[in-house]
Amino acid sequence: MTRVGVVTLAHDRHQHLAGQHRSLAAGSRAPDVYITVAMGDPGIESSTVGGVTRQVVHVPVDDGELPLAAARNRGVGEAVAQGVDAVVLLDVDCLAGGELVAAYADVVSQRPESIWSGPVTYLPPPPLEGYPDADPDALARLDAPHPARPAPPPGETLSSDDPDLFWSLSCAVAPETWARTGGFCEDYVGYGGEDTDFGRTALAAGVGLGWVGGARAYHQHHAVSSPPVEHLDAILRNGRLYQRRWGRWPMTGWLEAFEQQGLVRRVGSDWVRTPA
């Protein structure tokens, strides 16, 4: 049987992490390894729910910027070192659908040459009793995948050659395929850019991208700003890095929204902050 490791990154969001843990324990197939990479958060500790034990790896945070790319690499490395055949990256805000682990295990074992993502539903604010994170059938009734990403039905897959569609919110990869990509570029620090960079790096290495309908996840609600003004400096820094690596800017929708708000302006092929 394919051994599956689930890796998530966390900084705060303790309740969301606990919900994810319960959802993994309630699935049709439990992960063999479950690793949380705690970024500058000593309050996250190992625990066991329904026979699923969460291991915790701690990484420091410098200057308040979360090392998302480096933390993902660290988590995947830990899982691979424990002998898994498939590694699932699952955002801390995501609850696992009942078949998520099983679907990822199946598709990675059959088609290990690609990196696979699953449809994600963004949930509304939870009711007073909370999300049904330990009830896969109740979660499935909330299914309404994000319209900007492919969402094949359960039992079907789609191939993709668009790196802009890749997201590490929910994805799975075989260790040998991960090694071909070299992992996430750790020059990206803070919010934005590293996912698209990884998708483009994978395609450049001859690794395919795909979507698997059975691996459904449910993103727990939290407050957001649109565009994410609080991450403006990181988006500019990481976007500039991406432009140097790939010859174009990512996240142009956000940059144009910042421009409309008078926060940034274009200078040739660059985007810069508008003086206050």
Side-chain angles (χ1 to χ4, degrees):
M1 180 180 290
T2 302
R3 280 176 50 82
V4 183
V6 173
V7 174
T8 193
L9 314 184
H11 175 81
D12 296 331
R13 302 280 170 79
H14 294 188
Q15 293 303 313
H16 283 197
L17 177 62
Q20 180 186 100
H21 197 167
R22 290 189 293 269
S23 71
L24 287 167
S28 66
R29 165 78 192 276
D32 300 282
V33 175
Y34 180 32
I35 295 172
T36 296
V37 183
M39 300 173 292
D41 189 342
I44 296 175
E45 300 177 341
S46 62
S47 67
T48 300
V49 174
V52 174
T53 297
R54 183 178 71 221
Q55 306 171 40
V56 181
V57 175
H58 290 277
V59 299
V61 171
D62 298 322
D63 301 323
E65 294 279 11
L66 297 180
L68 301 172
R72 289 194 188 99
N73 290 346
R74 176 70 182 279
V76 173
E78 292 285 342
V80 171
Q82 295 186 40
V84 302
D85 305 300
V87 181
V88 176
L89 287 169
L90 192 62
D91 188 275
V92 68
D93 295 323
C94 284
L95 303 172
E99 299 299 320
L100 180 140
V101 173
Y104 275 141
D106 184 60
V107 75
V108 170
S109 68
Q110 293 187 36
R111 299 173 65 183
E113 72 281 358
S114 293
I115 299 168
W116 296 95
S117 297
V120 177
T121 292
Y122 277 75
L123 297 173
L128 291 177
E129 64 273 19
Y131 295 119
D133 45 56
D135 185 344
D137 292 335
L139 269 181
R141 289 193 288 272
L142 302 174
D143 192 66
H146 193 289
R149 293 291 194 279
E156 296 187 13
T157 62
L158 290 173
S159 296
S160 170
D161 60 359
D162 186 350
D164 291 338
L165 292 179
F166 172 77
W167 56 4
S168 62
L169 204 71
S170 175
C171 66
V173 62
E176 60 271 22
T177 303
W178 171 263
R180 286 177 61 188
T181 70
F184 285 82
C185 175
E186 296 187 8
D187 293 337
Y188 291 91
V189 178
Y191 190 84
E194 81 282 357
D195 272 12
T196 309
D197 184 283
F198 181 75
R200 191 168 291 278
T201 297
L203 292 172
V207 173
L209 302 176
W211 294 80
V212 53
R216 300 177 106 77
Y218 301 86
H219 187 282
Q220 302 169 85
H221 183 269
H222 61 80
V224 296
S225 56
S226 183
V229 175
E230 66 274 21
H231 299 297
L232 174 57
D233 289 328
I235 288 170
L236 287 173
R237 182 182 64 249
N238 288 339
R240 197 168 289 119
L241 169 62
Y242 185 96
Q243 196 276 338
R244 290 198 301 270
R245 284 169 58 83
W246 301 107
R248 59 180 288 266
W249 277 77
M251 305 177 283
T252 52
W254 286 344
L255 291 167
E256 290 167 357
F258 291 144
E259 183 181 40
Q260 292 173 2
Q261 294 182 7
L263 299 173
V264 301
R265 59 189 175 90
R266 304 179 208 220
V267 179
S269 62
D270 200 9
W271 290 82
V272 299
R273 258 190 178 272
T274 302

